[in-house]
Amino acid sequence: MERVESVRCSRWNRPGRGCAPGSGILLGSLMVLCISSGLFGDPIPAAEGPSAQQGAEVMDGGSAPDEAAQERELRAEQLAEAESLVEAFPEDDNAIYLLGLVHLQLGDSESAIATFERCKAMDPDRADLFESLGEAVLIRDACDQAVEHFTRALTLEPSRFSARKKLADTLLRMGRADEVLEVLQGHGAPDPEYYRILGAAHQQLGAFAPARDAFLRAIELDPNLDDAFYGLSMVCARMGETEAAAEYRERFREIKAKGQIQGRDWRRGFSPLEATRRSVAMTNTDVGRVFLSQRRIAPAMRLWERALQLDPRNQDARWHLAFFLLQTGRASDALPHWRELCRSTPDYPRHHFHLGEALTRTGRLEEAESAFQQVIRLAPDRSEGYAGLCNLYLLQKRPGTELLPLAEKAVAIDTSPANLVLLSIAFEQYGDRKAALEAIERAVRMVPGDPKLLRRLQQLTP
């Protein structure tokens, strides 16, 4: 079954990320349907289920049983949601893959491997699947199989950096340092673990100078990477650099001691129940994505609301819920979510764009203007802010002299049919009917046969 793109691709990708979710159990591998609300898009049917306000609340403990019992209940819920997804879509390899990941997270490597093998029979060309298979067999110390799976993942997707690191680390554990160099060299990235593994491989082979250089690069990227300092102390000692070796060994001990103190503090403050809630929330978020890929919007929204009940900090669930609340005509319910997303990530233009949409639909036009202006400030080379502000000015019946510069800027950046329609309307408001006709003719040439464009063309044709 074809893997589909994330809805997050509809406007902007997150800075420093691809479209795939960064925090979900799918580890960025599950891509879901891209549904955009373009100017001529059909509305999505209204969703069923609890309100967005209810979904944003933290789950009330009330008279809940003890924490261990709550954990067991949540883990049962996590597995049940994944299993029910497979029951609903038994031919969807994304659903089966997600169930395998849940098994893996629950520590059931046997069931995880069996589920991944079932997924492999349906789609033998999933790089993410082979990476996960490698992780599952590695838990069982099957290093040779893990190497085979990680290698297959890289054959299918050579740019899959996470699989490359796992393959290199596994080979290093097996004492196959020469193969580690083959895997890593030529595929560098600003990643401290990459250089730590590379340094250790050179160290195993007795190439102390390149080992030192790699370890130095690792601590440059992460000044608290204790293993890199330990490796540095060892290779410097072998190279006769006794003072440097002593300095790096002392730094290693300091970081190790500090880490032990921090570890004790972390363990004292650690709540297994909270960790379980975050984990189950991530699973619900990803199960919702698979429902979305099957165009089942209502259950997807229910799962995202549940995810926010469990973990209000889950931004992926909040984003998807806010987006589809907006698309299903529930702008008032979506508005608090967009406000929260803008508060938590103030430099992210897409959130301000959707906040502007929600404010416009709820009649808060002055606030909407500020939101779209913020989009322009954050992303002046994107057309969405100019188009959003132009649409808002149309609603406010602003004169063409205010509309036209915005529409022209949007078209200069992105000559899309939607932006050309805005330009056509702006020219008409400005009093230049000929230019308005030319703009809509350009749009029709891009999307021949579109009924709304053709109606607009007919209205302007003398």
Side-chain angles (χ1 to χ4, degrees), residues 58-319:
V58 182
M59 187 171 65
D60 182 11
S63 58
D66 60 75
E67 288 199 358
Q70 288 185 61
E71 281 187 71
R72 288 192 296 271
E73 290 174 3
L74 286 169
R75 289 302 185 187
E77 174 187 336
Q78 184 177 30
L79 183 59
E81 289 287 9
E83 288 176 335
S84 66
L85 183 69
V86 172
E87 290 177 9
F89 310 113
E91 303 302 319
D92 188 332
D93 60 303
N94 288 323
I96 296 167
Y97 177 56
L98 176 53
L99 176 59
L101 288 172
V102 170
H103 282 308
L104 189 59
Q105 190 172 50
L106 294 178
D108 186 354
S109 60
E110 182 178 355
S111 295
I113 292 168
T115 307
F116 289 146
E117 290 291 345
R118 178 181 169 188
C119 184
K120 186 173 75 172
M122 300 176 70
D123 184 353
D125 296 322
R126 288 188 68 138
D128 54 357
L129 170 64
F130 282 99
E131 183 176 348
S132 298
L133 262 172
E135 293 174 351
V137 299
L138 203 54
I139 292 172
R140 305 165 75 88
D141 291 324
C143 292
D144 287 327
Q145 290 182 46
V147 166
E148 180 181 336
H149 292 314
F150 291 142
T151 301
R152 177 61 178 158
L154 286 176
T155 301
L156 292 168
E157 191 179 323
S159 62
R160 196 168 188 84
F161 188 68
S162 56
R164 189 170 298 279
K165 281 201 303 181
K166 289 168 189 171
L167 173 59
D169 200 35
T170 306
L171 290 169
L172 187 67
R173 290 168 54 183
M174 299 170 73
R176 294 159 62 176
D178 53 340
E179 294 177 63
V180 173
L181 298 184
E182 291 177 13
V183 170
L184 292 183
Q185 286 180 341
H187 298 278
D191 180 271
E193 274 299 308
Y194 169 90
Y195 287 100
R196 195 272 305 170
I197 297 168
L198 182 62
H202 281 302
Q203 183 182 4
Q204 277 191 17
L205 294 170
F208 299 125
R212 178 187 57 192
D213 292 342
F215 286 136
L216 285 170
R217 177 62 174 144
I219 63 173
E220 180 185 336
L221 293 167
D222 182 357
N224 294 307
L225 189 59
D226 55 353
D227 286 345
F229 278 102
Y230 181 78
L232 265 174
S233 70
M234 298 295 287
V235 298
C236 286
R238 293 296 297 270
M239 296 172 70
E241 299 174 0
T242 54
E243 289 186 12
E247 179 185 338
Y248 290 131
R249 191 177 301 112
E250 181 59 28
R251 181 64 181 139
F252 162 73
R253 289 171 179 160
E254 290 173 0
I255 295 171
K256 201 74 174 175
K258 182 180 178 182
Q260 289 172 347
I261 294 171
Q262 290 175 336
R264 286 194 294 269
D265 292 342
W266 178 83
R267 285 189 292 274
R268 279 195 293 268
F270 176 71
S271 167
L273 177 59
E274 287 304 312
T276 298
R277 287 166 69 153
R278 287 194 296 271
S279 172
V280 178
M282 287 190 288
T283 296
N284 284 353
T285 302
D286 289 329
V287 172
R289 290 192 184 97
V290 180
F291 273 108
L292 174 61
S293 74
Q294 297 286 344
R295 294 176 171 80
R296 297 278 299 278
I297 306 300
M301 293 178 72
R302 174 188 64 79
L303 286 155
W304 296 326
E305 286 179 326
R306 174 59 173 159
L308 286 175
Q309 272 188 320
L310 295 168
D311 180 16
R313 293 168 295 182
N314 186 321
Q315 285 207 348
D316 284 330
R318 189 176 299 280
W319 194 96

Side-chain angles (χ1 to χ4, degrees), residues 13 56 242 322 424 442 453:
N13 292 336
T242 54
S424 174
R442 291 172 64 189
L453 288 176

